[in-house]
Amino acid sequence: MTSTGTSTDGSGSSGSTDGTGGAGGFERSAEERTYRAAAEEGDAADKRVYGEYLVGRGRVDDAVRWLEEAAEGGDARAARLRAVTAKDRGQFTVAAHWYRTAAERDGDCAFGLAELLLERLDDPEGAAEWYAKGAGLGSVECRTNGALLMLRQGRTSEARAQLEQAALHDHVAEQIEDRLIELADRIDHYRDRITELAALCALPPEERPADLDEQVDEFLEDGDERYEPFGELHKEPEWFTSYPSFLPDAEKAYEEAQALGDPRTDRCHGLLYYNLDRYQDACRVLEDGLRRHPDSRTLARTLSAVHLQYGELEKYEASLLPGAEAGDRLQQRRLGDHYRDQWRLAEARRWLEAAEAGTEGGDHDGDHDDESVAASLAELAEAEQATAPALDTQTESRLPALHAAAAAGDPAADLELGRLMQTLCRYPEAVRHYKRAAADPGTPHAPAASYALGRMLYEECGAHEKAVVPLYLPAAKEGDLDAIEGLGALYVRLDEPVKAEPWLRKAARFGRPDAASWVGNRVGDDYGDMEEAVRWWMRAAKAGRVWYGWRAGMQLVRWKRYQEAEGLLRLAWTGREKKDPLHEAAYWLARALHGQGRAAEAVEWMRTARDVHHIVRRGYSGFMLTTLFDPSMELAKLLVEEVATPEAYEEAETLLAPVLERSPQHRTARHLLARVAEQRGDLDAARDHLEQSYTPEGEEAGPLLTAQQVTEALRRVLG
């Protein structure tokens, strides 16, 4: 049978299928031999049991054959597990294949397929279909998650009916119902309280309660025993992405809150839209609020920050000016920094000195801002002593022709001008040119221009990741490797690993070491698939990330794949001066060499491991430190068991003396010393060492010998 599960390392192999272990180098236990014999002679269920056994021990490569044979024999659990292992390795098409083999008759496979289609293959319609089929097969997970999908799609009445049925069997569905009730009650509570407060605000001043301002503050900032403050609602955008039918009511609450006459309600409304990635709506609300509250620094500052986060540099500058001219020190500093970044140094000095000399407080001023202004002035002074960015004479001479071509609609000219203006740090001009070059997605220059714009805004102008993701996408889809890796990195920073994974896997396959290391960590740490992780770490290490030579090398040593480990650990050792933990590579390299029968080299590296062990210990604490390997002990074992010369025995005794001072009955140390004494012909000393490792009755044995073990050891060592 030909396996459908190709390895993501590009080798075309899913690993060992001979049952000796994808990790290699170990023999099957009696328990495993039993399972394997049953799988070889038995039915699909026996094959699946053996596959599960292998997966449970981290040997996914070996499990593939048995799970696929079991799935082809009709075992739904095997199909599901095979699909899961493929999904964890980024093989989404393979995973879909194995889910589909049983999804028509198994609710769990239908659920897995629906989740795969929704989260990894961007097919919500297909997901809805399989949620429905799985629900028909009795899967409560399908019914619950299908209802969640309906809620996100705005199909609220259908979703509630589904949840009502699912809640009879699924506590998750019950919790969702409770959240829906909670959110509805919370918004109703806000609107009722807004109505009460608005009525009080509408009274003539002499009739208003004396504590009305305090009541408004409490509503906006403190909340009550039942609900969080109204001012916190914008911090939970997932409520409205998961349950969008509630958003109109929340919007009405914000609109009604305008009657309170407090600009904070407009700020929170704008930030809700910002958190929902609705830039235009956020700006509209904040600008409307400023028209009602023209002196509100809170609204002005929030509006300018939103413009910056979305890379709207001209709007950012325009929104800073009114506050700066009105004496807002924070806006003055921001404007000064903005001009300094563009090498508009005279304007930068004007505003930074104004911020330094300003005395008005404001709701965000204080010592921290004084320090920030001082830091900004120091950076400005450095810039004033430096040489401003400039173009060479030949490039400068081309500018008029480029501007003319751009004005005539040449996207290539706009793209080049964008790059040149970026070089000169004239960022708003660069934005205009890049946007024009990217305006028509059908032109060949559009993806590159969009990516250049996104990268400049993010790396040099302070834009937020979510604002530049759409700008990276066209170039990434066109195959630009920098854009592919950059897009994956943006999703990682946005804490969206599911979206990051396909892009970073693609970048890793094309040799990007940082992407390979991320993928290795993802499958190793998150999914527990160490075989796949090691393959990616090896790629990362060989591409220059020596840290991952250490991670991969350690695991390979544990799997007794010593020859593969050796090169990676030697590579890791080269990075020890930059990363202290890599000093540990010496220990694992010694073990790799010993495993290859190269005892003399192993001894030298174990000596090195002993010498640097004080550095290694710095990276461990608590229980991990107490269980850390001891190179001195392992060096002593090598000297006694492998080198076995008089000089080696003397060195071993020196190494073991401190061990016995700390733990007089240390079993390994006493055994080694007994071996040395026996080799010297001193049987009494050998017997003495063994007897001292004996644990008297009534005491906790710990690492020491029982009486029977002492007898056996005496027979074995002394004959």
Side-chain angles (χ1 to χ4, degrees):
M1 181 194 72
T2 301
S3 169
T4 60
T6 57
S7 169
T8 54
D9 67 357
S11 65
S13 169
S14 62
S16 167
T17 56
D18 63 358
T20 59
F26 54 84
E27 296 181 0
R28 289 191 293 271
S29 65
E31 180 185 30
E32 182 179 346
R33 288 196 296 272
T34 300
Y35 280 124
R36 183 180 175 88
E40 289 174 336
E41 301 295 332
D43 58 12
D46 295 311
K47 297 179 190 299
R48 185 253 304 156
V49 168
Y50 184 39
E52 289 175 335
Y53 173 90
L54 293 168
V55 170
R57 282 149 185 79
R59 291 165 55 189
V60 177
D61 289 349
D62 288 343
V64 164
R65 166 195 168 185
W66 302 102
L67 293 174
E68 291 185 354
E69 288 184 6
E72 289 174 344
D75 192 298
R77 280 177 56 181
R80 185 166 66 253
L81 183 54
R82 177 65 190 104
V84 169
T85 60
K87 182 183 71 173
D88 291 350
R89 292 184 168 188
Q91 302 165 348
F92 303 138
T93 304
V94 173
H97 165 78
W98 289 108
Y99 277 132
R100 288 181 189 278
T101 61
E104 293 282 1
R105 53 190 168 80
D106 181 79
D108 289 334
C109 279
F111 174 71
L113 178 57
E115 292 284 283
L116 181 73
L117 292 169
L118 181 64
E119 296 178 357
R120 308 303 180 98
L121 296 176
D122 193 26
D123 183 5
E125 292 183 2
E129 176 188 352
W130 283 102
Y131 281 137
K133 289 183 177 180
L137 292 169
S139 168
V140 293
E141 293 88 355
C142 278
R143 193 174 297 280
T144 298
N145 285 54
L148 275 174
L149 179 56
M150 291 177 187
L151 287 169
R152 287 197 290 272
Q153 294 171 335
R155 298 158 58 190
T156 307
S157 58
E158 295 175 78
R160 285 184 179 276
Q162 285 266 49
L163 286 170
E164 187 176 351
Q165 296 180 50
L168 299 173
H169 310 283
D170 184 7
H171 72 282
V172 175
E174 187 177 2
Q175 290 172 353
I176 295 169
E177 285 192 311
D178 291 343
R179 282 177 65 84
L180 293 173
I181 295 170
E182 177 190 350
L183 182 55
D185 288 347
R186 182 174 171 182
I187 293 176
D188 287 345
H189 168 77
Y190 288 152
R191 296 184 69 183
D192 290 344
R193 185 60 177 145
I194 288 167
T195 299
E196 295 172 4
L197 292 172
L200 296 175
C201 291
L203 293 171
E206 64 274 11
E207 297 181 23
R208 296 172 189 166
D211 67 342
L212 180 56
D213 288 343
E214 287 79 3
Q215 290 188 51
V216 172
D217 283 343
E218 180 180 351
F219 174 65
L220 295 178
E221 303 291 347
D222 299 327
D224 55 34
E225 293 181 358
R226 290 182 61 200
Y227 296 106
E228 295 175 344
F230 183 59
E232 296 290 316
L233 186 60
H234 72 277
K235 296 181 179 179
E236 299 180 291
E238 66 278 359
W239 285 75
F240 303 108
T241 53
S242 297
Y243 318 124
S245 63
F246 287 99
L247 183 57
D249 289 333
E251 292 172 314
K252 289 177 183 176
Y254 279 117
E255 291 166 2
E256 292 163 356
Q258 293 173 8
L260 304 182
D262 193 310
R264 287 176 292 180
T265 63
D266 297 293
R267 177 180 181 273
C268 293
H269 191 184
L271 288 177
L272 174 63
Y273 285 135
Y274 169 78
N275 289 332
L276 291 171
D277 201 16
R278 290 169 56 174
Y279 167 71
Q280 298 294 343
D281 286 328
C283 293
R284 172 181 54 78
V285 166
L286 294 169
E287 288 166 355
D288 288 347
L290 275 170
R291 279 189 281 273
R292 289 190 300 276
H293 308 283
D295 297 327
S296 172
R297 288 185 173 178
T298 295
L299 289 175
R301 292 172 176 180
T302 303
L303 177 60
S304 63
V306 168
H307 285 319
L308 178 62
Q309 293 286 279
Y310 275 87
E312 294 291 344
L313 302 184
E314 291 181 334
K315 292 179 180 179
Y316 176 59
E317 180 178 342
S319 67
L320 291 173
L321 275 167
E325 291 169 346
D328 185 337
R329 297 176 67 212
L330 182 61
Q331 298 293 72
Q332 289 171 340
R333 178 174 63 79
R334 288 176 173 175
L335 188 57
D337 288 343
H338 181 63
Y339 287 144
R340 185 202 63 232
D341 291 343
Q342 298 176 58
W343 288 83
R344 296 162 64 179
L345 302 186
E347 295 166 279
R349 180 157 290 282
R350 171 196 170 191
W351 290 112
L352 290 176
E353 288 181 348
E356 182 184 41
T359 57
E360 295 192 32
D363 51 348
H364 285 284
D365 284 331
D367 291 341
H368 173 72
D369 285 308
D370 289 337
E371 294 174 2
S372 299
V373 170
S376 293
L377 280 166
E379 291 182 31
L380 174 61
E382 290 181 11
E384 289 170 333
Q385 297 301 314
T387 302
L391 303 176
D392 60 65
T393 304
Q394 182 179 359
T395 303
E396 186 81 33
S397 68
R398 295 178 54 237
L399 289 179
L402 285 171
H403 281 293
D410 183 351
D414 266 317
L415 175 55
E416 186 169 359
L417 281 170
R419 288 170 174 158
L420 294 176
M421 294 306 102
Q422 181 179 349
T423 300
L424 295 172
C425 299
R426 288 155 58 174
Y427 299 122
E429 290 182 66
V431 168
R432 289 197 296 272
H433 288 295
Y434 281 140
K435 283 186 174 180
R436 286 210 303 249
D440 183 355
T443 62
H445 299 288
S450 179
Y451 173 53
L453 173 61
R455 188 169 180 177
M456 181 190 77
L457 291 175
Y458 181 62
E459 296 180 358
E460 301 180 42
C461 301
H464 194 276
E465 289 90 352
K466 68 180 179 181
V468 299
V469 158
L471 299 174
Y472 279 55
L473 268 169
K477 290 179 178 178
E478 288 287 319
D480 184 306
L481 195 51
D482 289 334
I484 289 169
E485 185 173 29
L487 181 58
L490 290 176
Y491 280 129
V492 169
R493 296 185 189 106
L494 287 168
D495 195 23
E496 297 188 46
V498 170
K499 291 183 178 179
E501 189 169 343
W503 297 106
L504 291 176
R505 281 183 179 275
K506 186 176 291 188
R509 284 195 292 271
F510 283 97
R512 293 299 173 95
D514 290 332
S517 61
W518 185 89
V519 174
N521 293 341
R522 171 84 164 153
V523 297
D525 298 339
D526 292 357
Y527 304 146
D529 187 346
M530 293 303 294
E531 291 174 322
E532 181 75 349
V534 165
R535 283 191 278 269
W536 289 111
W537 289 337
M538 290 170 70
R539 277 175 168 252
K542 292 173 182 177
R545 299 299 181 264
V546 297
W547 176 273
Y548 293 96
W550 175 44
R551 290 205 71 176
M554 282 193 295
Q555 192 62 51
L556 290 168
V557 168
R558 294 186 179 110
W559 290 337
K560 301 183 181 180
R561 288 163 57 178
Y562 301 120
Q563 190 170 1
E564 291 176 82
E566 179 185 347
L568 292 164
L569 292 166
R570 288 187 185 276
L571 188 63
W573 178 251
T574 66
R576 66 192 182 282
E577 299 302 330
K578 294 182 179 179
K579 291 183 178 290
D580 277 353
L582 291 180
H583 285 84
E584 190 175 320
Y587 167 79
W588 295 97
L589 180 54
R591 287 187 55 180
L593 293 166
H594 182 220
Q596 296 177 70
R598 294 154 64 182
E601 294 173 83
V603 165
E604 290 305 315
W605 276 103
M606 198 62 79
R607 286 190 178 114
T608 300
R610 175 201 58 196
D611 294 341
V612 301
H613 195 56
H614 65 286
I615 301 174
V616 173
R617 287 175 59 87
R618 295 174 194 163
Y620 293 86
S621 60
F623 175 76
M624 294 297 292
L625 181 59
T626 63
T627 58
L628 184 64
F629 58 80
D630 182 354
S632 294
M633 176 62 66
E634 300 208 31
L635 174 58
K637 287 181 67 177
L638 285 172
L639 291 167
V640 171
E641 296 175 355
E642 301 290 344
V643 182
T645 63
E647 295 78 14
Y649 292 148
E650 290 181 11
E651 184 179 354
E653 287 175 319
T654 302
L655 291 167
L656 294 172
V659 176
L660 294 182
E661 289 179 9
R662 296 190 303 269
S663 179
Q665 293 178 304
H666 194 288
R667 183 177 66 184
T668 302
R670 289 292 181 184
H671 271 205
L672 290 172
L673 290 170
R675 176 74 175 273
V676 171
E678 186 265 338
Q679 289 296 311
R680 290 171 173 166
D682 190 346
L683 300 185
D684 289 336
R687 181 178 286 104
D688 181 61
H689 283 302
L690 289 171
E691 288 176 346
Q692 289 190 60
S693 68
Y694 164 65
T695 304
E697 291 185 10
E699 292 189 13
E700 185 177 349
L704 307 178
L705 291 173
T706 64
Q708 182 179 357
Q709 288 172 319
V710 168
T711 302
E712 292 174 353
L714 286 168
R715 289 173 179 167
R716 183 174 63 254
V717 176
L718 303 179

